Amino acid sequence: MSDIVTIERINQQLHRPIKQVQKISWISKGYVLNDRQEVTHLSLFKARLKGVIPAELFELQHLRYLDIRENNIQQLPDAIRHLMQLEYADMRNNRLTELPKNFSQLSRLEKLYLGFNAFSLVPQQLSRLDKLRLIDLSENTIAGSCHILLQLPAIKNIYLNNNRLRSFPFDQLSAGQLKELNLGDNPLTEMPKDAAFKAEKLLL
């Protein structure tokens, strides 16, 4: 089944059908096709999904960019493992508390935005995402498991501001490992002695 037919099936479930666009912006909805008529970018930002992601979305196996912000989503289905080409995923402003076990199969993922959800711990599933460069977990209720992020070989940007962290494993952070580490608005009780050398930009 072609990606265009799949989009038509998705549109049948939406309050307002999405259209093909040349480029996805952070305030727009729509999809982008490549020269082979494959959907590579898809935005269902604020699409009134009411917590239910259309199952057909996970048939778009050439998808590299996915935006499903502000849709009251409480759980991601196991079928997300089919999006093996995914490099960028924005799932902010939903109601997620965890990730499915097979989320770690998204081995190409480079940027992941999970801010404004309901995570209480850093998801263990992130530990195997070897290409992940940016993780946004701001505005959650995270209280621990941050060591998982520091073990990621490609990680450069970590956003954990506005959580419930009382401590952070600064001792596991190599000098110059990160471009940016944002821990602002957390009840931290201990600060790094050599903060200036822990990240190019450190916000506490």
Side-chain angles (χ1 to χ4, degrees):
M1 184 178 298
S2 73
D3 282 4
I4 294 177
V5 172
T6 299
I7 288 291
E8 291 175 355
R9 291 166 63 203
I10 291 174
N11 272 336
Q12 292 173 5
Q13 303 173 56
L14 300 179
H15 174 76
R16 181 176 296 176
I18 56 172
K19 298 179 181 180
Q20 181 182 354
V21 295
Q22 292 297 315
K23 185 178 180 180
I24 297 287
S25 76
W26 68 278
I27 57 172
S28 66
K29 291 186 284 287
Y31 63 94
V32 175
L33 294 173
N34 63 16
D35 294 339
R36 296 183 296 276
Q37 299 298 293
E38 298 164 342
V39 176
T40 59
H41 295 60
L42 175 67
S43 175
L44 293 177
F45 161 62
K46 217 170 184 178
R48 302 187 188 182
L49 297 184
K50 298 181 180 179
V52 180
I53 304 174
E56 290 82 0
L57 187 154
F58 304 105
E59 297 174 12
L60 299 172
Q61 297 185 15
H62 306 283
L63 204 61
R64 294 191 289 111
Y65 176 110
L66 175 63
D67 184 346
I68 51 173
R69 286 174 293 149
E70 295 192 45
N71 280 296
N72 203 33
I73 297 166
Q74 299 182 50
Q75 186 175 13
L76 297 175
D78 290 338
I80 197 168
R81 70 183 186 277
H82 298 306
L83 303 182
M84 298 298 292
Q85 304 300 315
L86 201 62
E87 299 173 0
Y88 177 109
D90 195 338
M91 303 173 182
R92 287 176 290 180
N93 291 90
N94 282 293
R95 297 172 61 190
L96 297 171
T97 60
E98 60 183 3
L99 299 176
K101 291 181 179 179
N102 55 26
F103 194 87
S104 59
Q105 295 181 25
L106 302 180
S107 60
R108 293 178 178 265
L109 201 60
E110 296 182 7
K111 294 184 179 182
L112 177 60
Y113 295 86
L114 295 172
F116 293 89
N117 277 285
F119 292 94
S120 59
L121 294 172
V122 173
Q124 178 66 36
Q125 292 86 341
L126 300 182
S127 65
R128 298 176 63 184
L129 298 179
D130 290 348
K131 291 189 177 182
L132 194 65
R133 296 188 290 111
L134 182 152
I135 178 67
D136 176 14
L137 281 162
S138 58
E139 302 284 353
N140 279 274
T141 59
I142 292 173
S145 300
C146 296
H147 65 281
I148 292 171
L149 302 178
L150 298 184
Q151 294 169 0
L152 296 172
I155 197 69
K156 290 297 179 184
N157 298 75
I158 297 176
Y159 302 98
L160 284 163
N161 44 300
N162 289 288
N163 277 283
R164 297 180 182 175
L165 295 171
R166 300 186 66 82
S167 64
F168 186 84
F170 291 108
D171 59 322
Q172 299 180 32
L173 178 58
S174 302
Q177 177 182 358
L178 299 178
K179 289 185 177 179
E180 186 169 2
L181 173 60
N182 191 335
L183 298 171
D185 294 308
N186 278 284
L188 292 170
T189 58
E190 183 178 352
M191 301 297 178
K193 295 179 181 179
D194 53 350
F197 302 100
K198 291 294 184 178
E200 292 181 22
K201 186 175 181 181
L202 175 62
L203 301 175
L204 298 172

Coordinates of all heavy atoms in Angstrom, one line a residue, residues 67-143:
D67 N 5.8 14.6 14.5 CA 5.4 15.6 15.6 C 4.0 15.2 16.0 O 3.0 15.3 15.1 CB 5.5 17.0 15.0 CG 5.1 18.1 16.0 OD1 4.6 17.8 17.1 OD2 5.4 19.3 15.7
I68 N 3.8 14.8 17.2 CA 2.4 14.5 17.7 C 2.2 15.3 19.0 O 1.5 14.8 19.9 CB 2.3 13.0 17.9 CG1 3.4 12.4 18.8 CG2 2.1 12.3 16.6 CD1 3.2 11.0 19.2
R69 N 2.6 16.5 19.1 CA 2.4 17.3 20.3 C 1.0 17.6 20.5 O 0.2 17.7 19.6 CB 3.2 18.7 20.1 CG 4.7 18.6 20.2 CD 5.3 20.0 19.9 NE 5.1 20.3 18.5 CZ 5.0 21.5 18.0 NH1 4.9 22.6 18.9 NH2 4.8 21.7 16.7
E70 N 0.7 17.8 21.8 CA -0.6 18.3 22.3 C -1.8 17.5 21.7 O -2.7 18.0 21.0 CB -0.8 19.8 21.9 CG 0.2 20.7 22.6 CD -0.1 22.2 22.5 OE1 -1.3 22.5 22.6 OE2 0.8 22.9 22.2
N71 N -1.8 16.2 22.0 CA -2.9 15.4 21.6 C -3.5 14.5 22.7 O -4.2 13.5 22.4 CB -2.4 14.5 20.4 CG -2.5 15.2 19.1 OD1 -3.5 15.7 18.6 ND2 -1.3 15.4 18.5
N72 N -3.1 14.8 24.0 CA -3.6 14.0 25.1 C -3.3 12.6 25.1 O -4.0 11.7 25.6 CB -5.2 14.2 25.2 CG -5.7 14.0 26.6 OD1 -5.0 14.3 27.6 ND2 -6.9 13.4 26.7
I73 N -2.1 12.2 24.5 CA -1.7 10.8 24.4 C -1.1 10.3 25.7 O -0.2 11.0 26.3 CB -0.6 10.7 23.3 CG1 -1.3 11.1 21.9 CG2 -0.1 9.3 23.2 CD1 -0.3 11.3 20.8
Q74 N -1.7 9.2 26.2 CA -1.2 8.6 27.4 C -0.3 7.5 27.3 O 0.5 7.2 28.2 CB -2.4 8.1 28.2 CG -3.4 9.2 28.6 CD -4.6 8.7 29.4 OE1 -4.4 8.0 30.4 NE2 -5.8 9.0 29.0
Q75 N -0.3 6.9 26.1 CA 0.6 5.7 25.9 C 0.9 5.6 24.4 O 0.1 5.8 23.5 CB -0.2 4.4 26.3 CG 0.6 3.2 26.3 CD -0.2 2.0 26.9 OE1 -1.4 2.1 27.1 NE2 0.5 0.9 27.1
L76 N 2.2 5.2 24.1 CA 2.6 4.9 22.8 C 2.5 3.4 22.5 O 2.9 2.6 23.3 CB 4.1 5.3 22.6 CG 4.4 6.8 22.7 CD1 5.9 7.0 22.6 CD2 3.7 7.6 21.7
P77 N 1.9 3.0 21.4 CA 1.7 1.6 21.1 C 3.0 0.9 20.7 O 4.0 1.6 20.3 CB 0.8 1.6 19.9 CG 1.0 2.9 19.2 CD 1.4 3.9 20.3
D78 N 3.1 -0.4 20.9 CA 4.3 -1.2 20.5 C 4.6 -1.0 19.0 O 5.8 -1.2 18.6 CB 4.1 -2.6 20.8 CG 4.0 -2.9 22.3 OD1 4.6 -2.1 23.1 OD2 3.5 -3.9 22.7
A79 N 3.6 -0.7 18.2 CA 3.8 -0.6 16.8 C 4.8 0.5 16.4 O 5.3 0.6 15.3 CB 2.5 -0.3 16.1
I80 N 5.2 1.4 17.3 CA 6.1 2.5 17.0 C 7.5 1.9 16.6 O 8.2 2.6 15.9 CB 6.3 3.4 18.2 CG1 6.9 4.7 17.8 CG2 7.1 2.7 19.4 CD1 6.9 5.8 18.8
R81 N 7.7 0.6 16.9 CA 9.0 0.0 16.5 C 9.1 -0.1 15.0 O 10.2 -0.3 14.5 CB 9.1 -1.4 17.1 CG 8.1 -2.4 16.5 CD 8.2 -3.8 17.2 NE 7.4 -4.8 16.5 CZ 6.1 -5.0 16.7 NH1 5.5 -4.2 17.6 NH2 5.4 -5.9 16.1
H82 N 8.0 0.0 14.3 CA 8.1 -0.1 12.8 C 8.7 1.2 12.2 O 9.0 1.2 11.0 CB 6.7 -0.3 12.2 CG 6.0 -1.6 12.7 ND1 6.7 -2.8 12.5 CD2 4.9 -1.9 13.3 CE1 5.9 -3.8 13.0 NE2 4.8 -3.2 13.5
L83 N 8.8 2.3 12.9 CA 9.3 3.5 12.4 C 10.8 3.5 12.4 O 11.4 4.4 13.1 CB 8.7 4.7 13.1 CG 7.1 4.8 13.1 CD1 6.7 6.1 13.8 CD2 6.6 4.8 11.7
M84 N 11.4 2.6 11.8 CA 12.9 2.4 11.9 C 13.7 3.5 11.4 O 14.9 3.6 11.7 CB 13.2 1.0 11.2 CG 12.6 -0.2 11.9 SD 13.0 -0.4 13.6 CE 14.8 -0.8 13.4
Q85 N 13.2 4.4 10.5 CA 13.9 5.4 9.9 C 13.8 6.7 10.7 O 14.5 7.8 10.4 CB 13.5 5.7 8.5 CG 13.6 4.5 7.6 CD 15.0 4.0 7.5 OE1 15.9 4.7 7.3 NE2 15.1 2.6 7.5
L86 N 13.1 6.7 11.8 CA 12.8 7.9 12.6 C 14.1 8.5 13.2 O 14.8 7.9 13.9 CB 11.8 7.6 13.7 CG 11.0 8.8 14.2 CD1 10.1 9.4 13.2 CD2 10.1 8.3 15.4
E87 N 14.2 9.8 12.9 CA 15.4 10.6 13.4 C 15.0 11.7 14.4 O 15.8 12.0 15.3 CB 16.2 11.2 12.3 CG 16.7 10.2 11.3 CD 17.3 10.9 10.0 OE1 17.3 12.1 10.0 OE2 17.8 10.2 9.2
Y88 N 13.8 12.1 14.3 CA 13.3 13.3 15.1 C 11.9 12.9 15.5 O 11.0 12.6 14.7 CB 13.3 14.5 14.2 CG 12.8 15.8 14.9 CD1 13.7 16.8 15.2 CD2 11.4 16.0 15.1 CE1 13.2 18.0 15.8 CE2 10.9 17.1 15.7 CZ 11.8 18.2 16.0 OH 11.4 19.3 16.5
A89 N 11.6 13.0 16.8 CA 10.3 12.8 17.4 C 9.9 13.8 18.4 O 10.7 14.0 19.4 CB 10.2 11.4 18.0
D90 N 8.8 14.5 18.2 CA 8.4 15.5 19.2 C 7.0 15.0 19.8 O 6.0 15.0 19.0 CB 8.2 16.9 18.5 CG 8.1 18.0 19.5 OD1 7.7 17.7 20.7 OD2 8.4 19.2 19.1
M91 N 7.0 14.7 21.1 CA 5.9 14.2 21.7 C 5.5 15.0 23.0 O 4.9 14.5 23.9 CB 6.1 12.7 22.1 CG 6.5 11.8 21.0 SD 7.0 10.2 21.5 CE 7.4 9.5 19.9
R92 N 5.9 16.3 22.9 CA 5.6 17.2 24.1 C 4.2 17.4 24.3 O 3.3 17.3 23.4 CB 6.4 18.5 23.9 CG 7.9 18.4 24.0 CD 8.6 19.7 23.7 NE 8.5 20.0 22.3 CZ 9.1 21.1 21.7 NH1 9.6 22.0 22.5 NH2 9.0 21.3 20.4
N93 N 3.9 17.9 25.5 CA 2.5 18.3 25.9 C 1.5 17.2 25.6 O 0.4 17.4 25.0 CB 2.1 19.5 25.1 CG 2.8 20.8 25.5 OD1 3.9 21.1 24.9 ND2 2.3 21.5 26.5
N94 N 1.8 16.0 26.2 CA 0.9 14.9 26.2 C 0.8 14.4 27.6 O 1.0 15.2 28.6 CB 1.3 13.8 25.2 CG 1.0 14.1 23.8 OD1 -0.2 14.2 23.4 ND2 2.0 14.4 23.0
R95 N 0.4 13.1 27.8 CA 0.3 12.6 29.2 C 1.1 11.3 29.4 O 0.7 10.4 30.1 CB -1.2 12.4 29.5 CG -2.1 13.7 29.4 CD -3.5 13.4 29.6 NE -3.9 12.7 30.8 CZ -5.1 12.2 31.1 NH1 -6.0 12.2 30.2 NH2 -5.3 11.6 32.2
L96 N 2.2 11.2 28.7 CA 3.0 10.0 28.7 C 3.7 9.8 30.1 O 4.2 10.8 30.7 CB 4.1 10.1 27.6 CG 3.6 10.1 26.2 CD1 4.7 10.4 25.3 CD2 2.9 8.8 25.8
T97 N 3.7 8.6 30.6 CA 4.3 8.3 31.8 C 5.5 7.3 31.6 O 6.3 7.1 32.5 CB 3.4 7.7 32.8 OG1 2.8 6.5 32.3 CG2 2.2 8.6 33.2
E98 N 5.5 6.6 30.4 CA 6.5 5.6 30.1 C 6.6 5.5 28.6 O 5.7 5.9 27.9 CB 6.2 4.3 30.8 CG 4.9 3.7 30.4 CD 4.6 2.4 31.1 OE1 5.4 2.0 32.0 OE2 3.6 1.8 30.8
L99 N 7.6 4.8 28.2 CA 7.8 4.4 26.8 C 7.6 2.9 26.6 O 7.9 2.1 27.5 CB 9.2 4.8 26.3 CG 9.5 6.3 26.3 CD1 10.9 6.5 25.9 CD2 8.5 7.1 25.5
P100 N 7.1 2.4 25.4 CA 7.0 1.0 25.2 C 8.4 0.3 25.3 O 9.4 1.0 24.9 CB 6.4 0.9 23.9 CG 6.6 2.2 23.2 CD 6.7 3.2 24.3
K101 N 8.4 -0.9 25.6 CA 9.7 -1.7 25.8 C 10.5 -1.6 24.5 O 11.8 -1.6 24.5 CB 9.4 -3.1 26.2 CG 8.9 -3.2 27.6 CD 8.7 -4.7 28.0 CE 8.2 -4.8 29.4 NZ 7.9 -6.2 29.8
N102 N 9.9 -1.7 23.3 CA 10.6 -1.8 22.1 C 11.0 -0.4 21.5 O 11.5 -0.3 20.4 CB 9.8 -2.6 21.0 CG 8.4 -2.0 20.8 OD1 8.2 -0.8 21.0 ND2 7.5 -2.9 20.4
F103 N 10.8 0.7 22.3 CA 11.2 2.0 21.8 C 12.7 2.1 21.5 O 13.1 2.8 20.6 CB 10.8 3.0 22.9 CG 10.9 4.4 22.4 CD1 9.8 5.0 21.8 CD2 12.0 5.2 22.6 CE1 9.8 6.3 21.4 CE2 12.1 6.5 22.1 CZ 11.0 7.1 21.5
S104 N 13.4 1.2 22.2 CA 14.9 1.2 22.0 C 15.3 0.7 20.6 O 16.4 0.8 20.2 CB 15.6 0.3 23.0 OG 15.1 -1.0 23.0
Q105 N 14.3 0.2 19.8 CA 14.6 -0.3 18.5 C 14.7 0.9 17.5 O 15.0 0.6 16.3 CB 13.5 -1.3 18.0 CG 13.5 -2.6 18.9 CD 12.5 -3.6 18.4 OE1 12.1 -3.6 17.2 NE2 12.1 -4.5 19.3
L106 N 14.3 2.1 17.9 CA 14.4 3.2 17.0 C 15.8 3.7 17.0 O 16.2 4.8 17.5 CB 13.4 4.3 17.5 CG 12.0 3.9 17.6 CD1 11.1 5.1 18.1 CD2 11.4 3.4 16.3
S107 N 16.7 2.9 16.4 CA 18.1 3.1 16.5 C 18.7 4.3 15.8 O 19.8 4.7 16.0 CB 18.8 1.8 16.0 OG 18.5 1.6 14.6
R108 N 17.9 4.9 14.9 CA 18.3 6.1 14.2 C 17.9 7.4 14.8 O 18.3 8.5 14.4 CB 17.8 6.1 12.7 CG 18.3 5.0 11.8 CD 17.6 5.0 10.5 NE 18.2 4.0 9.6 CZ 19.2 4.2 8.7 NH1 19.7 5.4 8.6 NH2 19.6 3.2 7.9
L109 N 17.2 7.3 15.9 CA 16.7 8.5 16.6 C 17.8 9.4 17.1 O 18.7 9.0 17.8 CB 15.8 8.1 17.7 CG 14.8 9.1 18.2 CD1 13.8 9.5 17.1 CD2 14.0 8.6 19.4
E110 N 17.8 10.7 16.7 CA 18.8 11.7 17.1 C 18.2 12.8 18.0 O 19.0 13.2 18.9 CB 19.4 12.3 15.9 CG 20.1 11.4 14.9 CD 20.7 12.1 13.8 OE1 20.7 13.4 13.7 OE2 21.3 11.4 12.9
K111 N 17.0 13.1 17.8 CA 16.4 14.2 18.7 C 15.0 13.7 19.2 O 14.2 13.3 18.4 CB 16.2 15.5 17.9 CG 17.6 16.1 17.5 CD 17.4 17.5 16.8 CE 18.7 18.1 16.4 NZ 18.5 19.4 15.8
L112 N 14.8 13.8 20.5 CA 13.6 13.3 21.1 C 13.1 14.3 22.1 O 13.8 14.7 23.1 CB 13.9 12.0 21.8 CG 12.7 11.3 22.6 CD1 11.5 11.1 21.6 CD2 13.1 10.0 23.2
Y113 N 11.9 14.8 21.9 CA 11.3 15.8 22.8 C 10.1 15.2 23.6 O 9.1 14.8 23.0 CB 10.8 17.0 22.0 CG 11.9 17.7 21.3 CD1 12.4 17.3 20.0 CD2 12.5 18.9 21.9 CE1 13.4 18.0 19.4 CE2 13.5 19.6 21.2 CZ 14.0 19.1 20.0 OH 15.0 19.8 19.4
L114 N 10.3 15.1 24.9 CA 9.3 14.5 25.8 C 8.9 15.4 26.9 O 8.3 15.0 27.9 CB 9.8 13.2 26.4 CG 10.2 12.0 25.4 CD1 10.9 10.9 26.1 CD2 8.9 11.5 24.7
G115 N 9.1 16.7 26.7 CA 8.8 17.7 27.7 C 7.3 17.8 27.9 O 6.5 17.4 27.1
F116 N 6.9 18.3 29.1 CA 5.5 18.5 29.4 C 4.7 17.2 29.3 O 3.6 17.2 28.7 CB 4.9 19.6 28.5 CG 5.4 21.0 28.8 CD1 6.6 21.4 28.1 CD2 4.9 21.8 29.7 CE1 7.1 22.7 28.3 CE2 5.4 23.1 29.9 CZ 6.5 23.5 29.2
N117 N 5.2 16.2 29.9 CA 4.5 14.9 30.1 C 4.4 14.6 31.5 O 4.3 15.5 32.4 CB 5.1 13.8 29.2 CG 4.7 13.9 27.8 OD1 3.6 13.5 27.4 ND2 5.5 14.3 26.9
A118 N 4.4 13.3 31.9 CA 4.3 12.9 33.3 C 5.3 11.8 33.7 O 5.0 10.9 34.4 CB 2.8 12.4 33.6
F119 N 6.5 11.9 33.1 CA 7.5 10.9 33.5 C 8.1 11.2 34.9 O 8.4 12.3 35.2 CB 8.7 11.0 32.5 CG 8.4 10.5 31.1 CD1 7.9 11.4 30.1 CD2 8.5 9.2 30.8 CE1 7.6 11.0 28.8 CE2 8.2 8.7 29.5 CZ 7.7 9.6 28.5
S120 N 8.2 10.2 35.7 CA 8.8 10.3 37.0 C 10.2 9.8 37.1 O 11.0 10.2 38.0 CB 7.9 9.5 38.1 OG 7.9 8.2 37.7
L121 N 10.7 9.1 36.1 CA 12.0 8.6 36.0 C 12.5 8.7 34.5 O 11.6 8.7 33.6 CB 12.2 7.2 36.4 CG 11.9 6.8 37.9 CD1 11.9 5.3 38.1 CD2 13.0 7.5 38.8
V122 N 13.7 8.8 34.3 CA 14.3 8.8 32.9 C 14.0 7.4 32.4 O 14.4 6.4 33.0 CB 15.8 9.1 32.8 CG1 16.3 8.9 31.4 CG2 16.0 10.5 33.3
P123 N 13.3 7.2 31.2 CA 13.0 5.9 30.7 C 14.2 5.1 30.4 O 15.1 5.5 29.7 CB 12.2 6.2 29.4 CG 11.7 7.6 29.6 CD 12.7 8.3 30.4
Q124 N 14.2 3.8 30.9 CA 15.3 2.9 30.6 C 15.5 2.6 29.2 O 16.6 2.4 28.7 CB 15.1 1.6 31.4 CG 16.1 0.5 31.2 CD 17.5 0.9 31.8 OE1 17.5 1.5 32.8 NE2 18.5 0.5 31.1
Q125 N 14.4 2.7 28.4 CA 14.5 2.4 27.0 C 15.4 3.3 26.2 O 15.8 3.0 25.1 CB 13.1 2.5 26.4 CG 12.1 1.4 26.8 CD 11.4 1.8 28.1 OE1 11.9 2.7 28.9 NE2 10.3 1.2 28.4
L126 N 15.7 4.5 26.8 CA 16.6 5.4 26.1 C 18.1 4.9 26.1 O 18.9 5.4 25.3 CB 16.6 6.8 26.8 CG 15.2 7.5 26.8 CD1 15.3 8.8 27.5 CD2 14.6 7.6 25.4
S127 N 18.4 4.0 26.9 CA 19.8 3.6 27.2 C 20.4 3.0 25.9 O 21.7 2.9 25.8 CB 19.9 2.6 28.3 OG 19.2 1.4 28.1
R128 N 19.6 2.5 25.0 CA 20.2 1.8 23.8 C 20.1 2.7 22.5 O 20.3 2.2 21.4 CB 19.5 0.5 23.6 CG 19.7 -0.5 24.8 CD 18.9 -1.7 24.6 NE 19.3 -2.5 23.4 CZ 18.7 -3.6 23.1 NH1 17.7 -4.1 23.7 NH2 19.1 -4.3 22.0
L129 N 19.8 3.9 22.7 CA 19.7 4.8 21.5 C 21.0 5.5 21.3 O 21.3 6.6 21.7 CB 18.6 5.9 21.8 CG 17.2 5.3 22.0 CD1 16.2 6.5 22.2 CD2 16.7 4.5 20.8
D130 N 21.9 4.8 20.6 CA 23.3 5.2 20.5 C 23.5 6.4 19.6 O 24.5 7.1 19.7 CB 24.1 4.0 19.9 CG 24.3 2.9 20.8 OD1 24.0 3.1 22.0 OD2 24.7 1.8 20.4
K131 N 22.5 6.8 18.8 CA 22.6 8.0 18.0 C 21.9 9.3 18.6 O 22.0 10.4 18.0 CB 22.1 7.8 16.6 CG 22.9 6.8 15.8 CD 22.5 6.7 14.4 CE 23.4 5.8 13.6 NZ 23.0 5.8 12.1
L132 N 21.3 9.1 19.8 CA 20.5 10.2 20.4 C 21.5 11.3 20.8 O 22.4 11.1 21.6 CB 19.8 9.7 21.6 CG 18.7 10.6 22.1 CD1 17.6 10.8 21.1 CD2 18.1 10.1 23.4
R133 N 21.3 12.5 20.2 CA 22.1 13.7 20.5 C 21.4 14.7 21.4 O 22.1 15.4 22.1 CB 22.5 14.4 19.2 CG 23.4 13.5 18.3 CD 23.9 14.3 17.1 NE 22.8 14.7 16.1 CZ 22.3 15.9 15.9 NH1 22.8 16.9 16.6 NH2 21.4 16.2 15.1
L134 N 20.1 14.7 21.3 CA 19.3 15.7 22.1 C 18.1 15.0 22.8 O 17.4 14.3 22.1 CB 18.8 16.8 21.2 CG 18.1 18.0 21.9 CD1 18.3 19.3 21.1 CD2 16.6 17.7 22.0
I135 N 18.0 15.2 24.1 CA 16.8 14.7 24.8 C 16.2 15.8 25.6 O 16.9 16.5 26.4 CB 17.2 13.5 25.7 CG1 15.9 13.0 26.5 CG2 18.3 13.8 26.6 CD1 14.8 12.4 25.6
D136 N 14.9 16.1 25.4 CA 14.2 17.1 26.2 C 13.2 16.3 27.1 O 12.2 15.8 26.6 CB 13.5 18.0 25.3 CG 12.6 19.0 26.0 OD1 12.8 19.2 27.3 OD2 11.8 19.7 25.4
L137 N 13.4 16.4 28.4 CA 12.5 15.8 29.4 C 12.1 16.9 30.4 O 11.8 16.6 31.6 CB 13.2 14.7 30.1 CG 13.2 13.3 29.4 CD1 14.3 12.4 30.0 CD2 11.9 12.7 29.4
S138 N 12.1 18.1 29.9 CA 11.8 19.3 30.8 C 10.3 19.2 31.2 O 9.5 18.6 30.5 CB 12.1 20.6 30.1 OG 11.4 20.7 28.9
E139 N 9.9 19.8 32.3 CA 8.5 19.9 32.7 C 7.9 18.6 32.9 O 6.8 18.3 32.4 CB 7.7 20.8 31.7 CG 8.3 22.2 31.5 CD 7.9 23.1 32.7 OE1 7.2 22.7 33.6 OE2 8.5 24.3 32.7
N140 N 8.5 17.7 33.6 CA 8.0 16.4 34.0 C 8.0 16.3 35.5 O 8.1 17.4 36.2 CB 8.7 15.2 33.3 CG 8.3 15.0 31.9 OD1 7.3 14.3 31.6 ND2 9.0 15.6 30.9
T141 N 8.0 15.1 36.1 CA 8.2 15.0 37.5 C 9.4 14.0 37.8 O 9.3 13.3 38.8 CB 6.9 14.4 38.2 OG1 6.6 13.2 37.6 CG2 5.7 15.4 37.9
I142 N 10.4 14.1 37.0 CA 11.5 13.2 37.1 C 12.3 13.4 38.4 O 12.7 14.5 38.7 CB 12.4 13.3 35.9 CG1 11.7 12.8 34.7 CG2 13.7 12.6 36.1 CD1 12.4 13.0 33.4
A143 N 12.6 12.3 39.1 CA 13.3 12.4 40.4 C 14.6 11.5 40.3 O 15.3 11.5 41.3 CB 12.4 11.9 41.5

